[in-house]
């Protein structure tokens, strides 16, 4: 086989067979296909697309390019949750302990944040001493002992995706449904879960700004997951405003703790109940989503989910007292309120701008190598639909650097669109995408 011929075949709009796709992925991962040929191939895929069979083959080839976690040592059905990324998305920190407290094993490999979206691993490092690197044995024994482990992805999980993603990033080929879906799903399938619940975000803070694109991506990922023999479902959810109020690592962890303690924002807890219900059903805890919700509500009410978070922190070397004494989280030197310049109703919040506020303050990474400041970020005081008076605070900024603060404040004020007519927020949960089709929630 010659890479030249395969580039030509895809460029001319023909379908590649399974062996050809596997050849491209394994030879590129091994360094036998140069970046310039792979770039040309990715551009051909970008323009000519891949059908469902090709996309599944591509995903399986990338999954098989490295280690596949063997979770068979963990008792029960393992269900993973994946979010396509958003601003203020601290769902895993709430949902993981809730589901584990219901007796379902949570064996989660998570990532770090890049750009305006945060990563669960960075957030967990806000707990003093928390170790995000666990050996496979320790990861498995923690899940068996306390039902939950959350660790960073091992270096050799889907290495083809790492290499290809870096190339897509610099060749304007990120934005293609087959390439995005195979990239995400290759890592999920290598993470070894039996079933997958996907949270596909749509709106101004999401990768997929348009609802129809989010649905197409969800359909592709659901088709890959089920095609690979894993029970997979996707929920399309709103990212047209941040989830909850807090954006920034330690600030989000505190909000997650408040939520587990029964005092969280309505949108965050609702999303956790919906995703959690699908996870409990997929794990075989119950066949009825309403029953699953009752189980989840109970573990929040009786604090067993909150205590589960403390167990998780302790099992990974962290100081669990932070869960009960949140004032222990590191605080920045500057806390500044931002008053509204207008009176009216919040009509829109540009969510990627809110992510950028946290990034400017040092809470996110511009590049993979950037150091982040866990203590900084923003807590919104108003969300879409809220009434606001001139001079009333719309947000609080947490910073360590005065120069960055004024830039962040301007970006924040820009993100808010205030009008005189009452406005209404988008529904939080929009669509459910399963193997039998798409339905309104
Ligand atoms: N996230 C991924 O992991 N891959 C993509 O291609 C896009 C988002």
């Amino acid at each position: 086989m010659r890479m030249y011929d395969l580039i030509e075949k895809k460029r001319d709009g023909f379908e590649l067979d399974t062996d050809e796709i596997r050849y491209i992925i394994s030879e590129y991962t091994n360094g036998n296909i140069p970046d310039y040929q792979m770039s040309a191939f990715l551009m051909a895929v970008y323009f000519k697309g891949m059908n469902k069979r090709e996309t599944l083959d591509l995903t399986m080839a990338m999954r098989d390019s490295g280690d596949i976690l063997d979770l068979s040592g963990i008792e029960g059905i393992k269900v993973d949750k994946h979010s396509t990324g958003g601003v203020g998305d601290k769902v895993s920190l709430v949902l993981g302990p809730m589901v584990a407290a219901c007796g379902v094993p949570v064996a989660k490999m998570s990532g770090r944040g890049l750009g305006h979206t945060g990563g669960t691993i960075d957030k967990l490092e806000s707990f003093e001493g928390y170790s995000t690197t666990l050996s496979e044995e320790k990861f498995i024994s923690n899940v068996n002992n306390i039902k939950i482990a959350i660790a960073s992805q091992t270096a050799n999980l889907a290495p083809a995706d790492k290499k290809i993603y870096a190339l897509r990033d610099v060749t304007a080929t990120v934005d293609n449904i087959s390439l995005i879906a195979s990239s995400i799903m290759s890592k999920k399938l290598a993470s070894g879960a039996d079933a997958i619940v996907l949270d596909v975000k749509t709106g101004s803070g999401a990768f997929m700004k348009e609802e129809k694109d989010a649905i197409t991506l969800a359909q592709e990922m659901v088709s890959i997951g089920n095609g690979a023999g894993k029970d997979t479902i996707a929920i399309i959810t709103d990212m047209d405003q941040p989830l909850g109020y807090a954006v920034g690592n330690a600030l989000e962890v505190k909000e997650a703790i408040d939520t587990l303690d029964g005092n969280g924002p309505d949108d965050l807890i609702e999303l956790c109940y919906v995703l959690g219900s699908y996870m409990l059903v997929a794990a075989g805890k119950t066949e009825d989503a309403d029953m699953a919700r009752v189980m989840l509500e109970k573990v929040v009410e009786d604090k067993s989910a909150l205590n589960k978070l403390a167990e998780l922190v302790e099992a990974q070397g962290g100081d669990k007292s932070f869960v009960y004494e949140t004032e222990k989280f590191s605080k920045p030197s500057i806390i500044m309120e931002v008053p509204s310049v207008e009176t009216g109703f919040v009509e829109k919040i540009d969510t990627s701008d809110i992510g950028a506020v946290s990034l400017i303050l040092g809470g996110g990474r511009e590049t993979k190598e950037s150091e982040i400041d866990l203590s900084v970020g923003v807590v919104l005081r108003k969300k879409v639909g809220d009434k606001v008076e001139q001079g009333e605070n719309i947000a609080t900024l947490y910073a360590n650097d005065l120069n960055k603060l004024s830039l962040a404040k301007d970006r924040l004020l820009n993100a808010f669109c205030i009008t005189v007519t009452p406005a209404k927020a988008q529904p939080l949960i929009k669509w459910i995408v399963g193997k039998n089709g798409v339905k309104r929630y």
Side-chain angles (χ1 to χ4, degrees):
M1 244 180 264
R2 287 198 325 148
M3 185 60 177
Y4 180 96
D5 300 330
L6 302 177
I7 296 169
E8 188 177 51
K9 192 170 173 184
K10 185 42 79 184
R11 182 201 68 189
D12 294 342
F14 293 104
E15 187 179 333
L16 298 176
D17 70 28
T18 305
D19 289 343
E20 288 167 337
I21 290 172
R22 291 194 83 84
Y23 167 84
I24 294 170
I25 297 305
S26 74
E27 292 302 290
Y28 179 62
T29 310
N30 294 336
N32 297 328
I33 290 174
D35 283 351
Y36 54 81
Q37 280 193 311
M38 193 61 180
S39 305
F41 174 73
L42 291 168
M43 194 56 87
V45 171
Y46 183 89
F47 282 116
K48 299 293 170 162
M50 278 186 156
N51 65 24
K52 284 213 176 324
R53 200 268 313 144
E54 287 177 295
T55 308
L56 177 59
D57 282 344
L58 177 65
T59 312
M60 299 307 246
M62 293 206 291
R63 178 200 67 177
D64 296 341
S65 65
D67 299 338
I68 298 177
L69 267 189
D70 178 5
L71 300 183
S72 59
I74 299 171
E75 289 156 37
I77 300 174
K78 278 75 68 183
V79 188
D80 200 359
K81 188 275 306 181
H82 177 81
S83 154
T84 55
V87 177
D89 183 357
K90 67 281 290 173
V91 163
S92 293
L93 299 172
V94 183
L95 186 59
M98 276 166 64
V99 169
C102 290
V104 171
V106 176
K108 189 148 184 57
M109 290 281 174
S110 281
R112 295 193 180 275
L114 186 60
H116 73 269
T117 61
T120 302
I121 288 301
D122 296 321
K123 290 169 200 172
L124 280 168
E125 284 177 347
S126 305
F127 289 102
E128 210 171 280
Y130 190 96
S131 168
T132 57
T133 47
L134 294 182
S135 68
E136 204 169 317
E137 294 72 40
K138 178 85 175 135
F139 181 73
I140 288 174
S141 75
N142 280 8
V143 182
N144 276 331
N145 291 336
I146 63 163
K147 292 280 176 228
I148 185 166
I150 306 182
S152 49
Q153 278 155 16
T154 63
N156 207 32
L157 209 70
D161 173 63
K162 254 192 210 96
K163 226 177 144 183
I164 293 170
Y165 193 83
L167 199 58
R168 285 167 59 210
D169 216 15
V170 292
T171 56
T173 50
V174 167
D175 213 5
N176 169 275
I177 295 281
S178 287
L179 296 178
I180 297 171
S182 58
S183 164
I184 294 174
M185 292 305 286
S186 61
K187 288 173 288 208
K188 284 292 107 187
L189 295 174
S191 300
D194 303 306
I196 302 163
V197 176
L198 299 163
D199 179 7
V200 179
K201 306 278 189 199
T202 180
S204 60
F207 208 48
M208 294 287 146
K209 309 272 181 251
E210 302 295 329
E211 215 167 292
K212 68 173 182 8
D213 295 333
I215 293 173
T216 310
L217 176 63
Q219 286 175 306
E220 197 67 60
M221 291 196 290
V222 165
S223 158
I224 293 170
N226 288 299
K230 311 280 181 189
D231 187 8
T232 305
I233 193 164
I235 324 287
I236 313 278
T237 71
D238 181 54
M239 192 30 74
D240 231 8
Q241 59 177 333
L243 188 62
Y245 291 90
V247 180
N249 295 282
L251 296 168
E252 290 189 40
V253 175
K254 278 195 238 174
E255 189 168 76
I257 292 170
D258 288 344
T259 306
L260 287 168
D261 205 11
N263 301 312
D266 292 345
D267 57 351
L268 176 59
I269 190 68
E270 178 60 21
L271 182 54
C272 291
Y273 284 145
V274 172
L275 292 167
S277 300
Y278 283 100
M279 290 175 79
L280 260 50
V281 170
K285 269 273 151 191
T286 166
E287 282 178 11
D288 178 20
D290 292 339
M291 193 60 204
R293 188 183 174 112
V294 171
M295 293 162 89
L296 292 160
E297 285 172 351
K298 181 169 177 299
V299 295
V300 173
E301 215 170 275
D302 69 13
K303 310 287 180 212
S304 53
L306 180 71
N307 296 335
K308 187 55 75 181
L309 175 66
E311 276 183 74
L312 164 71
V313 171
E314 186 173 43
Q316 294 194 211
D319 183 348
K320 73 170 181 181
S321 69
F322 279 52
V323 172
Y324 306 103
E325 298 161 57
T326 55
E327 64 285 356
K328 285 188 170 176
F329 284 105
S330 74
K331 279 184 218 56
S333 52
I334 311 160
I335 297 177
M336 187 179 88
E337 299 296 342
V338 181
S340 173
V341 286
E342 293 162 279
T343 292
F345 296 88
V346 179
E347 185 194 24
K348 266 197 287 197
I349 300 174
D350 186 313
T351 310
S352 62
D353 268 351
I354 301 294
V357 168
S358 176
L359 195 67
I360 291 167
L361 293 171
R365 280 189 189 79
E366 302 272 3
T367 70
K368 274 191 200 136
E369 287 72 37
S370 318
E371 285 275 321
I372 59 172
D373 183 342
L374 295 171
S375 66
V376 301
V378 52
V379 177
L380 304 183
R381 302 290 164 206
K382 298 284 177 186
K383 297 212 18 186
V384 174
D386 287 349
K387 188 167 186 337
V388 57
E389 299 290 335
Q390 186 186 16
E392 196 181 351
N393 294 332
I394 51 172
T396 312
L397 293 173
Y398 293 77
N400 275 317
D401 181 332
L402 266 180
N403 295 328
K404 293 175 178 170
L405 192 64
S406 68
L407 211 62
K409 183 185 166 199
D410 291 347
R411 194 71 178 255
L412 179 93
L413 286 170
N414 250 333
F416 273 78
C417 175
I418 295 171
T419 56
V420 286
T421 42
K424 208 163 166 277
Q426 290 270 334
L428 175 66
I429 319 272
K430 294 163 179 275
W431 301 91
I432 308 293
V433 181
K435 57 179 174 232
N436 297 323
V438 183
K439 61 175 201 283
R440 267 259 176 234
Y441 181 72

